[in-house]
Amino acid sequence: MNYVIVGLGGAIGALVRFSTFNLLNGYFPPYTKTLIINCCGSFILGFLFYTVQKKSNPLYSFVTTGMLSGFTTFSTFSADVVQLLQNEHYWKGATISALSLLGCIFFAYFG
């Protein structure tokens, strides 16, 4: 049953990420949208990690392992940075990498 709960959460998280990307279209470049989504997900995960007492319950797994894992994405971040580097936008690639690493840790900590 846990697999179903996590799977449903992941599907919902992926749909929320897809919708968020579409909402941000025209306002931010793709690599910035990924940064925003990953920082938001890190904040929510940090908040839940420190506030939820019983981490083994199905709702916690649904939200954290399921929804937040489907919402945030390291692979999209990696592809964004590779694309920036291939297009010789080295400064942008380095900046997004640093902001992603430091930003996600910052937001998880303060969540």
Side-chain angles (χ1 to χ4, degrees):
M1 188 61 168
N2 283 339
Y3 289 100
V4 172
I5 290 170
V6 170
L8 288 173
I12 291 169
L15 290 171
V16 172
R17 178 170 50 105
F18 180 76
S19 299
T20 304
F21 259 77
N22 287 334
L23 282 172
L24 297 176
N25 269 346
Y27 300 106
F28 300 100
Y31 53 86
T32 307
K33 293 185 285 189
T34 303
L35 174 66
I36 291 167
I37 287 171
N38 286 344
C39 285
C40 288
S42 295
F43 180 82
I44 295 166
L45 185 61
F47 175 79
L48 292 173
F49 184 77
Y50 287 107
T51 57
V52 175
Q53 298 300 315
K54 186 179 175 195
K55 294 179 176 54
S56 61
N57 70 46
L59 181 59
Y60 184 82
S61 297
F62 173 79
V63 173
T64 58
T65 307
M67 285 182 67
L68 289 175
S69 293
F71 180 65
T72 61
T73 177
F74 187 79
S75 58
T76 302
F77 154 72
S78 300
D80 289 345
V81 171
V82 167
Q83 186 175 21
L84 287 170
L85 296 176
Q86 286 176 337
N87 291 327
E88 298 180 0
H89 296 290
Y90 303 115
W91 178 247
K92 285 181 184 178
T95 302
I96 287 297
S97 295
L99 286 174
S100 292
L101 176 65
L102 298 174
C104 288
I105 292 170
F106 172 86
F107 280 101
Y109 180 79
F110 285 102

